[in-house]
């Protein structure tokens, strides 16, 4: 079982609010990722990080921002939530070890609803 | 064209049936392929991974890669209602995984 945790699991919030989705892993993984997934749809990579102080934008443009101040922590922030941000957000991590084949371990996700 | 294509289904089969889930890919670089299983309202969990061509078996699950046709398959034998989930194939890219859309599978008792 993967040791990667996301909080909150569910969040219902009003338009214009600032929100931060938390993601922490206890596996010492260097790489971390944020995906966005709508119901029945594919995963879209929105942010990733190769290590502390490293952040990159993913394939899907997102108004969210991320930070990586500590290896185990990769929070995602939306400065002003909008209904279009309603989705499920999944955090994942993987190790840099070559033999690990970039296997990603996922958290349970945060289901965000913006009213 | 998407780098990994997967039929989204839904696919519904009776308990005990053999299930075949398939993906095609378009970029031959990097040779690791993975199958993830995602239950409703949960994150994906790694089911199996394979390297290059050939079969890999783990209990009731068999993963198969055919490099010549760029085809990835997952077979489930003696399917159980607990196998009902969305199955995502993924291919390792240069720095990240590329996922298919996922196939929603239901096993009916």
């Amino acid at each position: 079982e993967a040791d990667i945790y996301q909080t909150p699991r569910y969040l219902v919030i009003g338009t214009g609010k600032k929100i931060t989705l938390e993601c922490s892993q206890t596996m010492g993984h260097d790489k971390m990722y944020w995906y966005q997934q709508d119901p029945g749809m594919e995963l879209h990579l929105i942010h990733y990080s190769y290590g502390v102080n490293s952040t990159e934008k993913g394939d899907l443009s997102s108004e969210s921002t991320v930070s990586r101040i500590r290896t185990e922590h990769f929070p995602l922030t939306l400065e002003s939530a909008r209904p279009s941000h309603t989705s499920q957000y999944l955090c994942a991590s993987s190790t840099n070890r070559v033999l690990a084949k970039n296997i990603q371990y996922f958290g349970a996700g945060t289901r965000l609803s913006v009213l | 064209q998407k780098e990994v294509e997967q039929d989204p289904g839904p696919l519904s089969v009776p308990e005990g049936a053999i299930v075949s889930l398939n993906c095609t890919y378009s970029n031959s670089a990097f040779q690791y392929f993975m199958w993830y299983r995602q239950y409703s309202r949960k994150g994906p969990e790694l089911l199996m991974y394979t390297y290059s061509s050939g079969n890999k078996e783990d209990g009731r699950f068999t993963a198969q890669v055919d490099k010549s046709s760029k085809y990835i398959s997952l077979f489930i034998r003696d399917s159980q209602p607990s196998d009902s989930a969305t199955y995502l194939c993924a291919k390792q890219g240069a720095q990240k995984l590329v996922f298919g859309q996922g196939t929603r599978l239901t096993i009916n008792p």
Side-chain angles (χ1 to χ4, degrees):
Chain A
E1 188 171 333
D3 296 320
I4 181 164
Y5 308 100
Q6 291 187 244
T7 56
R9 287 294 315 278
Y10 303 94
L11 179 62
V12 181
I13 203 163
T15 297
K17 300 293 186 182
K18 178 180 179 179
I19 60 170
T20 296
L21 308 184
E22 302 289 349
C23 177
S24 295
Q25 50 94 7
T26 59
M27 298 172 283
H29 286 172
D30 296 302
K31 298 179 182 177
M32 295 189 75
Y33 313 82
W34 275 103
Y35 291 87
Q36 186 174 338
Q37 184 184 36
D38 293 323
M41 303 298 288
E42 60 201 287
L43 293 164
H44 291 288
L45 181 67
I46 52 175
H47 297 284
Y48 59 101
S49 167
Y50 292 146
V52 171
N53 294 326
S54 155
T55 61
E56 302 285 344
K57 289 193 177 295
D59 305 320
L60 181 69
S61 175
S62 174
E63 293 167 347
S64 59
T65 59
V66 292
S67 62
R68 190 87 185 276
I69 299 172
R70 303 197 316 266
T71 299
E72 63 272 20
H73 195 214
F74 192 41
L76 180 146
T77 298
L78 276 166
E79 289 294 331
S80 179
R82 295 207 303 268
S84 60
H85 297 139
T86 295
S87 189
Q88 172 159 263
Y89 293 84
L90 290 160
C91 181
S93 71
S94 66
T95 180
N96 262 340
R97 295 200 308 268
V98 174
L99 295 179
K101 299 164 278 292
N102 197 29
I103 293 172
Q104 293 184 18
Y105 298 90
F106 285 82
T110 294
R111 189 170 293 272
L112 172 66
S113 293
V114 184
L115 307 178
Chain B
Q1 181 187 8
K2 292 181 180 178
E3 195 168 340
V4 178
E5 297 269 8
Q6 185 175 7
D7 186 344
L11 182 62
S12 181
V13 301
E15 183 176 355
I18 297 175
V19 177
S20 172
L21 304 170
N22 306 296
C23 291
T24 58
Y25 63 93
S26 60
N27 184 349
S28 297
F30 307 99
Q31 303 295 318
Y32 282 107
F33 301 91
M34 296 156 192
W35 284 95
Y36 282 81
R37 178 175 60 194
Q38 185 177 19
Y39 290 113
S40 180
R41 299 183 181 275
K42 297 285 180 66
E45 58 178 335
L46 180 70
L47 198 57
M48 296 182 71
Y49 68 86
T50 57
Y51 175 76
S52 190
S53 284
N55 292 357
K56 183 175 182 179
E57 190 173 319
D58 183 2
R60 296 184 293 108
F61 298 88
T62 299
Q64 189 176 80
V65 178
D66 184 343
K67 282 176 61 180
S68 60
S69 57
K70 297 184 180 178
Y71 213 71
I72 315 165
S73 300
L74 178 71
F75 299 97
I76 307 174
R77 293 186 302 279
D78 187 23
S79 54
Q80 306 293 311
S82 59
D83 295 328
S84 298
T86 295
Y87 290 80
L88 302 112
C89 61
K91 185 178 77 69
Q92 183 179 351
Q95 298 292 347
K96 35 191 198 251
L97 293 182
V98 181
F99 286 90
Q101 187 175 346
T103 299
R104 190 156 54 111
L105 172 67
T106 301
I107 308 297
N108 301 304

